[in-house]
Amino acid sequence: MVALILVTACAFAQGPSAMSAPGLMPNAGRVSGVIEDEQGALIPGAQVVLVAEGGSHKLTSGSDGRFCFDGVPAGSFTVRASEEGMLDGVKEGTLEAAQQMELEPMMLRAGAAMSVTAVTQEQMAAIQVRQEETQRIGGILPNYYVVYEANPQPLTKKLKLQLGWRSVFDPANVMFVGVLAAGQQAQNAFPGYRQGASGYGKRFGAGMADATVGTLLEGSLLPMVFRQDPRYFYKGTGGKVSRTWYALKTTVICKGDNGRWQPAYANVLGSFGSGAVSGLYYPGGERGGMLVVENGLSALAFDGFANVMQEFVLRRMTPSRGREQVGE
C-alpha cells in the first residue's frame, strides 16, 4: 500500500521536465521526496534539480510539496531544491540499479535566495571520490583506487593528489607497513639495516618511503603529467577468462582523462621509477640496477595480481562500495 501511494504521488508530482518516462532506460530507478519549511509546512511549486549521470533535470514540486524523478540511472546523484526568499536545500546519494529511493524531507530555511545551478563535472568527480574514500576491504584496509561507477568523471589534478596522500597516510596502511617491517626484521631482510630497534626503524622508514614514492608517483604525479586515471575500473561482467585478461592487461593500459584507453605510461614508468628511487635509501649492498629492475617487475606483477583480486574477490569484501547515506 505504501509503495502504491508513493507511485501515485510521483505521477502527480512529475511535470513535463521529469527525467524520463519509465522503461526508457534499462535498470533506471526513481528518486522522490518532499519539500518543506522550518515549521514543517509543505512548499508547492519549488524548483527541484536532479544531477546524475544523464545530466541535469528540473521540475517543480506538486501541490503537496512532493517531487519525483523517474528514469534515474544507477550511480551518484545530487538533488537541489530552491524557492524564492529561501536558502537552497541539497541532498546527495547513490542509487542502485532499479532502486526506488525516498529522500528524507528537504527543509528550506528562510534567507536570501540562491540560484539553482547545475553541478559541474569537477563537482561530480569530487562527490564520487568522497564515496570512493569510504571503500574499505573488510571495513579496515582502504580500497580507494577502485571505481564501481559505470561512467565515472575524470579526476582533477587536486583529486589525484588527494587520493594519493590519503592512501599513503591512512592509519590502516601505516599499520600494514609496520607489520611488514616486523616480518622483514624477523627474516633479517636487508641485513645492512641490522637488528634491534634501530634496524626496525630503518625497515619501517624504507617501507613508508616505498609506499609514499610508489603511490604518489604512480597514483598522483605521473597521472597528472600524462593525463591518465590511476584507478582500477571494475568490469564485473563477462566470463572468468575475459575478466582475468582485462584485470591483467590494465597494468599496462589505462583510461586517459579523456575517457579513452591508452598505454599506461604512468603506471609502468612509476613502477620502475619508484624502484630507482628506493636505491637511495636501501643499504649499499642492496642497491643497483638489478634492484631497480626487480622492484619494477615485482610492482607490475603485484598490480596484476591485485587487479585480479579486485575483479573476483575484493568487491565482496568491500560492503559499502562507496555508498553514502542520503542526507549525510
Side-chain angles (χ1 to χ4, degrees):
M1 178 62 72
V2 174
L4 179 60
I5 293 174
L6 290 178
V7 169
T8 304
C10 281
F12 283 101
Q14 292 184 91
S17 57
M19 179 164 263
S20 63
L24 185 61
M25 184 179 300
N27 297 321
R30 170 182 294 155
V31 176
S32 58
V34 64
I35 312 297
E36 60 183 35
D37 62 18
E38 294 175 275
Q39 285 71 46
L42 302 176
I43 303 178
Q47 297 294 314
V48 188
V49 175
L50 182 144
V51 178
E53 183 61 35
S56 176
H57 307 269
K58 182 169 66 174
L59 51 74
T60 57
S61 59
S63 59
D64 57 356
R66 290 195 59 79
F67 64 88
C68 181
F69 291 93
D70 271 329
V72 182
S76 303
F77 68 85
T78 301
V79 175
R80 183 184 295 271
S82 65
E83 174 69 351
E84 185 176 356
M86 308 189 81
L87 298 175
D88 290 2
V90 179
K91 295 282 187 182
E92 297 175 355
T94 301
L95 195 69
E96 299 291 330
Q99 180 182 3
Q100 298 186 18
M101 179 180 293
E102 174 75 9
L103 300 177
E104 295 181 1
M106 297 185 67
M107 181 185 299
L108 304 187
R109 295 180 172 84
M114 297 175 65
S115 60
V116 177
T117 57
V119 176
T120 65
Q121 186 181 60
E122 290 78 11
Q123 289 171 327
M124 182 59 71
I127 292 171
Q128 293 174 347
V129 168
R130 286 203 301 272
Q131 294 171 346
E132 290 167 20
E133 290 174 343
T134 68
Q135 298 172 174
R136 289 184 177 274
I137 300 170
I140 301 174
L141 292 176
N143 200 19
Y144 300 162
Y145 280 94
V146 180
V147 178
Y148 297 108
E149 294 282 344
N151 296 290
Q153 300 299 323
L155 297 177
T156 62
K157 292 181 179 179
K158 179 180 178 181
L159 290 175
K160 290 175 183 178
L161 283 173
Q162 175 181 312
L163 271 179
W165 281 114
R166 292 192 177 179
S167 179
V168 169
F169 294 106
D170 185 272
N173 278 345
V174 174
M175 184 179 299
F176 179 79
V177 172
V179 172
L180 183 62
Q184 291 175 341
Q185 178 116 340
Q187 297 174 3
N188 198 30
F190 305 108
Y193 284 147
R194 307 190 180 211
Q195 292 293 314
S198 175
Y200 175 79
K202 291 176 182 178
R203 289 179 174 86
F204 176 76
M208 283 301 301
D210 282 347
T212 302
V213 172
T215 301
L216 294 184
L217 201 59
E218 299 172 36
S220 300
L221 301 180
L222 288 178
M224 290 165 59
V225 172
F226 291 104
R227 298 181 181 180
Q228 296 182 330
D229 199 312
R231 299 172 295 179
Y232 177 74
F233 293 82
Y234 178 77
K235 187 173 187 289
T237 59
K240 292 182 178 180
V241 174
S242 66
R243 291 174 66 187
T244 300
W245 172 239
Y246 168 84
L248 292 174
K249 72 181 181 181
T250 49
T251 61
V252 292
I253 64 170
C254 69
K255 277 192 177 182
D257 291 343
N258 58 7
R260 299 176 182 174
W261 290 98
Q262 56 191 251
Y265 303 115
N267 189 53
V268 174
L269 293 178
S271 296
F272 287 94
S274 58
V277 173
S278 68
L280 300 176
Y281 48 82
Y282 275 99
E286 306 294 341
R287 301 176 185 176
M290 287 304 299
L291 179 63
V292 173
V293 174
E294 179 183 338
N295 285 352
L297 293 176
S298 296
L300 288 176
F302 180 80
D303 285 346
F305 170 75
N307 290 346
V308 172
M309 292 291 290
Q310 291 288 1
E311 194 65 32
F312 294 102
V313 179
L314 298 184
R315 183 175 186 184
R316 294 194 296 271
M317 299 173 64
T318 311
S320 68
R321 293 203 285 275
R323 300 172 186 169
E324 286 185 357
Q325 293 297 321
V326 175
E328 290 189 353

